[in-house]
Amino acid sequence: MKNLTSLILLFIGLQIVNAREIVNFNSNWSFKKGPFTTAEINYNSIFKGDWQLIQVPHTWNATDMQTNQVTPGFYSTNERFYVGDSYYRKSFTPKVNWKGKRIFIKFEGVGANAEVYMNNSPLKSTQNKNKVSYQGDVNNGNYNFVGRHQGGYSAFVLELTGMLKFDQENEILVKANNEENPAIIPVNHVLFPVYGGIYRPVSLIVTDPINIAVNDFASAGIFISQKNVSKKSADIHLKVKVDNKSAQTNNIEIFTSIIDHNNKTVKSISTPYTLSPQGRQEIIQDIKVNNPHLWNGLEDPYLYKVVTQIKQNNQVLDEVTQPLGIRKFELKANEGFFLNDKKYPLYGVTRHQDRWGKGSALSNEDHDEDLAIIKEIGATSIRLAHYQQSDYFYSKCDSLGLIIWAEIPFVNQVTTLEENNALQQLKELIRQNYNHPSIYTWGLHNDVYTPNNYTTELTTKLNDLAKTEDPYRYTVQVNGYNTVDHPVNNNADIQGINHYFGWYNGEVENLSDKEDVETWANDISKKFKDYKIIFSEYGAEAKPEDQVEVAGNYGNQWSDPAFFPEEFATKFHIVHWATIEKHPIFLGSYVWNTFDFATPITRLNVNPRNFKGLVSFDRKIKKDPFYWYKANWSKEPVVYLTQRRMVNRGNEFTTVTIFSNQGTPTLTVNGKKIENVKNGYNKIHFVAENVQLQKGENIIIAETNLNGKTISDKIIWNYDSKYKTSQKEATTKDIHVGL
């Protein structure tokens, strides 16, 4: 009888819930691309005629920013992609039961600057296939300004309540613009393109006049912090922001429950509160969780749910659910990263969000595919460079156990006009992502320097803001000069260093008087042992169609900007990782980049692309360096032969390189066992030198047998001395081990 009573009460409770409604707002948008003249806008002719029918997410740069061909060079300013104004519009009729409610519109990402308007008398439209034609009078441009947002990567929320008319169509009009702006970060398209458009989802949020704040920089309105975390207990601290637009004082109750994986309530707390009609108010709640199930990275990414409700007279006025992963992060100088007091490796990759044929207008399936590839390689951490990414992506990292570095797009150049926007975007990044347990650090900038005084002051302000908004996480800033004590550096908790030995400067190995990665690592290990340092970027371009038999000791980005052999990149990554893993000065490291990405202005070749990805832009080819990291990081068995795309070979005697995390592999060439297989740079890297090939087809097989299980790989090479004369040669002396 007791259980039956509980069920009845639960049913009654569900019936009286009057919580928020979230409406998908992605379909049936109309789109019109510029450029537009001032006269057109003034006379509203822009709003008539044919528009393209599209679905959101959408970008107008999916093609031109990825196929634009210009003269190669480090910086190219002759843009052949469209930047400027474009318009989006959508009509809808509010539901009758929304009367008396508050109605908000949430944009998860508009590239890059948005102005939002409403028109209560939309033009008549007729739809034909993928086009919409508008006719009629636009009432002399009777559009009501709703709000604007500057910055292409953070979400924003605007309230529509006072502008809506019920029982008739209302129209939302969005003006988007992705032109360079010295006051809005990123201030140019140099390191990566800012794709124009409403490229992330849009939703309507409908709430009671008394609600958990919706438009607090598009945050959840709830901020969950944790202290004193151990296996025995954890102190969970909640700050709940509440709005009251009912025009009177209300007695309410803030009711919060922590719910486990089995939907069982672990702890709950109720806080009575007298809510004034004036001003947004904060309610604090503290909950102690005994014997918590810890969030433990990839091994056990256990998540609780925090469900917070506003109740009044046994009615739920509003409800918000947020993730809770109870965990403890700690970085110890010259030791490493610790998760829940145990050393945990930061095997890191970086990720740009765009992809071939789509730009940044991605589906959840696209995000899932990227994460599956990142998990396959064995990465434990992702640097989400160089901007705030999709909330869906952060949420998936929470549930998968990947540890995240999140940052703002203060990159590449300082204009002295970007301070306000940089501070705004950092506040948005932190508030919108505060509750994601996967995030361990907030990134303040990447490679920004002169003028030093201004930049030092701004990065200090950014660090202070981050610590005010979130005193529980680390901050990180990144330099590319390898000078740890540069004046602009060390204004954050962590110093990230971008360095590309053998690519932009120095050489991979110390074969001359140039500095190499090993010499540099040894030097900073002595000088800066008390600093928290992360190797934040390193990588080399690799085009799978570009092949050489023997790699050089530095890349040819200057001498031949159209030729990036995969073999050099493989050499680069082998040497760099073998150096990183034995130097504890690096508390973590991040390969640049997981995927090739568009660079329509800055690139080192005729294609508008950065080829430093371990995986191709379309995600179809995993390059040889991908398997190097998979063999080193992943728990999956790996035996992999490199140079599978260097098929036609002109050297009779060659080196065979194998990656194996299953012990020393057996190597056979045309059925004959090769005896001189030995370790190279580390215990995963194996080489056999001076292997003789027969003319014509050669079958190379590497295999291991561990605990009765055979793991093998096979490639085919064709040898003929005539191939040598048709091949490009390496740009410097041959390397002396491998490849």
Side-chain angles (χ1 to χ4, degrees):
M1 187 67 184
K2 182 178 179 181
N3 289 338
L4 178 60
T5 302
S6 297
L7 286 172
I8 292 171
L9 288 173
L10 175 61
F11 179 77
I12 294 172
L14 289 172
Q15 294 304 299
I16 65 173
V17 165
N18 194 22
R20 68 177 58 190
E21 181 180 355
I22 299 176
V23 180
N24 183 304
F25 210 60
N26 296 323
S27 61
N28 297 318
W29 285 83
S30 303
F31 167 72
K32 200 168 190 179
K33 178 180 173 182
F36 306 105
T37 67
T38 302
E40 284 177 323
I41 295 173
N42 286 344
Y43 289 98
N44 301 301
S45 60
I46 177 180
F47 302 120
K48 299 180 183 179
D50 289 338
W51 290 55
Q52 181 184 355
L53 182 65
I54 60 99
Q55 311 296 311
V56 169
H58 174 266
T59 176
W60 64 75
N61 295 124
T63 301
D64 60 359
M65 278 189 167
Q66 300 181 347
T67 57
N68 148 55
Q69 299 284 320
V70 297
T71 305
F74 195 71
Y75 293 134
S76 176
T77 57
N78 51 334
E79 300 172 356
R80 296 187 183 180
F81 49 88
Y82 178 65
V83 296
D85 292 338
S86 290
Y87 286 85
Y88 294 83
R89 64 198 303 175
K90 178 179 170 66
S91 296
F92 71 105
T93 302
K95 296 179 183 179
V96 175
N97 65 355
W98 290 357
K99 289 183 179 180
K101 302 282 190 180
R102 298 182 71 188
I103 296 94
F104 304 86
I105 187 166
K106 180 176 182 179
F107 295 89
E108 293 190 27
V110 178
N113 305 301
E115 295 177 7
V116 181
Y117 299 84
M118 282 201 66
N119 182 345
N120 294 324
S121 301
L123 294 173
K124 294 181 180 179
S125 64
T126 56
Q127 186 172 322
N128 181 19
K129 293 184 179 180
N130 66 338
K131 288 186 179 180
V132 180
S133 183
Y134 290 90
Q135 292 99 21
D137 182 10
V138 293
N139 297 325
N140 298 315
N142 182 27
Y143 281 88
N144 300 306
F145 178 72
V146 181
R148 68 169 48 88
H149 182 261
Q150 296 182 318
Y153 299 101
S154 47
F156 62 98
V157 170
L158 299 170
E159 185 163 6
L160 307 178
T161 307
M163 298 183 181
L164 286 175
K165 289 191 176 180
F166 289 86
D167 305 320
Q168 67 182 60
E169 278 195 332
N170 290 253
E171 183 177 76
I172 295 286
L173 177 73
V174 180
K175 176 184 174 183
N177 181 291
N178 66 330
E179 292 177 285
E180 293 182 354
N181 188 319
I184 301 169
I185 59 173
V187 297
N188 56 41
H189 295 272
V190 169
L191 289 186
F192 51 89
V194 182
Y195 292 90
I198 305 177
Y199 71 93
R200 287 186 188 148
V202 184
S203 58
L204 294 181
I205 302 172
V206 183
T207 73
D208 190 86
I210 298 173
N211 62 13
I212 296 170
V214 177
N215 53 354
D216 173 45
F217 291 88
S219 73
I222 297 170
F223 300 88
I224 306 168
S225 306
Q226 45 189 293
K227 295 186 291 184
N228 305 319
V229 173
S230 70
K231 291 181 180 180
K232 293 183 178 180
S233 65
D235 296 329
I236 309 301
H237 176 84
L238 280 85
K239 179 170 67 176
V240 184
K241 295 188 176 183
V242 180
D243 279 342
N244 178 10
K245 299 299 181 182
S246 70
Q248 61 188 22
T249 298
N250 284 265
N251 293 318
I252 62 168
E253 171 191 359
I254 301 297
F255 186 82
T256 296
S257 297
I258 296 177
I259 300 171
D260 68 12
H261 235 78
N262 299 315
N263 282 325
K264 179 182 177 183
T265 300
V266 175
K267 272 288 183 73
S268 61
I269 185 172
S270 177
T271 306
Y273 191 82
T274 300
L275 185 65
S276 166
Q278 294 179 293
R280 180 170 291 162
Q281 292 155 71
E282 296 181 357
I283 294 93
I284 303 300
Q285 294 182 317
D286 289 294
I287 306 174
K288 181 179 283 292
V289 178
N290 295 318
N291 304 312
H293 190 148
L294 298 182
W295 187 92
N296 202 30
L298 292 173
E299 296 176 12
D300 186 11
Y302 189 90
L303 289 175
Y304 295 90
K305 289 188 298 185
V306 175
V307 180
T308 299
Q309 299 173 324
I310 300 177
K311 291 184 176 183
Q312 186 180 52
N313 299 326
N314 200 34
Q315 184 178 17
V316 177
L317 302 183
D318 199 10
E319 177 179 293
V320 170
T321 299
Q322 289 291 287
L324 171 62
I326 300 177
R327 79 292 182 265
K328 177 184 176 183
F329 294 144
E330 188 175 9
L331 284 164
K332 298 180 181 179
N334 219 29
E335 290 188 51
F337 178 85
F338 290 78
L339 174 61
N340 302 324
D341 295 318
K342 291 185 179 179
K343 193 169 183 179
Y344 190 86
L346 291 181
Y347 297 149
V349 293
T350 49
R351 187 238 190 187
H352 268 300
Q353 66 184 2
D354 65 335
R355 63 167 55 203
W356 175 250
K358 288 191 171 185
S360 55
L362 305 182
S363 66
N364 288 346
E365 290 74 21
D366 295 326
H367 294 303
D368 289 340
E369 182 181 15
D370 282 7
L371 285 165
I373 291 169
I374 288 169
K375 279 202 71 178
E376 180 190 346
I377 203 173
T380 61
S381 183
I382 313 173
R383 180 185 177 195
L384 292 175
H386 288 299
Y387 39 78
Q388 182 170 332
Q389 300 198 14
S390 162
D391 183 71
Y392 177 85
F393 198 90
Y394 292 113
S395 296
K396 291 292 289 188
C397 291
D398 294 339
S399 61
L400 293 172
L402 288 159
I403 294 171
I404 300 304
W405 166 339
E407 64 187 57
I408 59 171
F410 185 23
V411 297
N412 173 55
Q413 182 181 341
V414 179
T415 66
T416 73
L417 301 175
E418 66 277 278
E419 178 176 322
N420 288 338
N421 189 252
L423 292 165
Q424 169 207 310
Q425 290 199 44
L426 181 61
K427 183 178 289 186
E428 290 171 329
L429 174 73
I430 295 173
R431 291 199 186 182
Q432 291 169 22
N433 298 287
Y434 191 95
N435 298 329
H436 289 297
S438 54
I439 297 174
Y440 80 101
T441 190
W442 304 116
L444 309 181
H445 74 79
N446 180 81
D447 287 353
V448 291
Y449 290 97
T450 54
N452 289 347
N453 288 343
Y454 167 85
T455 308
T456 299
E457 185 174 325
L458 177 51
T459 54
T460 301
K461 289 179 181 178
L462 289 167
N463 184 71
D464 287 347
L465 174 63
K467 291 301 184 182
T468 300
E469 291 286 326
D470 181 6
Y472 305 104
R473 285 185 175 93
Y474 291 100
T475 57
V476 57
Q477 62 182 138
V478 175
N479 82 77
Y481 290 160
N482 86 38
T483 309
V484 178
D485 51 359
H486 187 282
V488 173
N489 300 333
N490 301 311
N491 300 313
D493 299 324
I494 305 166
Q495 178 62 64
I497 300 178
N498 300 342
H499 219 325
Y500 295 77
F501 287 98
W503 191 255
Y504 294 124
N505 54 359
E507 55 190 2
V508 180
E509 292 185 296
N510 192 5
L511 303 181
S512 64
D513 59 350
K514 295 181 179 180
E515 186 180 42
D516 69 339
V517 63
E518 177 83 25
T519 304
W520 171 71
N522 289 337
D523 183 55
I524 66 170
S525 294
K526 295 175 183 175
K527 293 181 180 177
F528 302 105
K529 60 182 177 62
D530 295 328
Y531 286 66
K532 295 181 177 70
I533 294 174
I534 287 178
F535 204 159
S536 45
E537 284 183 31
Y538 65 99
E541 311 260 350
K543 294 167 66 177
E545 63 269 28
D546 292 349
Q547 300 288 327
V548 292
E549 289 188 55
V550 181
N553 197 40
Y554 62 79
N556 62 340
Q557 75 276 19
W558 307 121
S559 60
D560 191 350
F563 185 67
F564 297 138
E566 185 178 10
E567 286 71 24
F568 173 75
T570 307
K571 159 73 176 178
F572 177 99
H573 284 288
I574 289 172
V575 174
H576 274 71
W577 174 249
T579 302
I580 290 167
E581 68 175 345
K582 64 184 180 183
H583 284 84
I585 190 71
F586 301 122
L587 308 185
S589 60
Y590 292 87
V591 178
W592 187 265
N593 196 284
T594 313
F595 309 104
D596 292 345
F597 59 94
T599 52
I601 293 180
T602 302
R603 58 200 171 282
L604 306 173
N605 52 78
V606 295
N607 296 297
R609 195 173 311 170
N610 187 308
F611 287 95
K612 293 188 183 71
L614 303 176
V615 181
S616 61
F617 202 9
D618 60 9
R619 277 56 170 175
K620 291 182 179 179
I621 298 175
K622 295 167 183 171
K623 306 173 192 178
D624 283 353
F626 176 92
Y627 292 96
W628 167 242
Y629 290 104
K630 182 176 180 178
N632 277 277
W633 296 348
S634 175
K635 294 180 180 179
E636 292 183 28
V638 176
V639 173
Y640 182 85
L641 287 156
T642 68
Q643 292 193 288
R644 60 194 54 234
R645 281 170 281 276
M646 184 62 226
V647 176
N648 295 325
R649 308 177 72 87
N651 291 322
E652 180 180 1
F653 292 90
T654 190
T655 296
V656 177
T657 300
I658 310 160
F659 305 148
S660 171
N661 59 13
Q662 300 296 295
T664 305
T666 299
L667 177 67
T668 61
V669 177
N670 302 318
K672 179 181 177 182
K673 183 178 179 181
I674 305 300
E675 299 293 343
N676 64 331
V677 177
K678 59 184 180 181
N679 271 120
Y681 288 94
N682 71 3
K683 63 182 180 180
I684 305 297
H685 180 230
F686 295 89
V687 294
E689 297 177 314
N690 297 314
V691 174
Q692 186 175 15
L693 303 179
Q694 65 184 21
K695 190 170 183 179
E697 183 179 270
N698 292 263
I699 299 174
I700 298 97
I701 297 175
E703 67 177 22
T704 62
N705 191 302
L706 194 64
N707 300 323
K709 186 175 182 179
T710 299
I711 307 294
S712 65
D713 192 23
K714 172 184 173 181
I715 60 175
I716 295 176
W717 287 343
N718 298 319
Y719 162 66
D720 194 313
S721 59
K722 69 180 181 181
Y723 292 134
K724 190 169 186 177
T725 58
S726 64
Q727 293 174 5
K728 290 194 177 186
E729 297 295 326
T731 56
T732 59
K733 66 182 73 174
D734 295 346
I735 66 172
H736 50 81
V737 179
L739 297 185

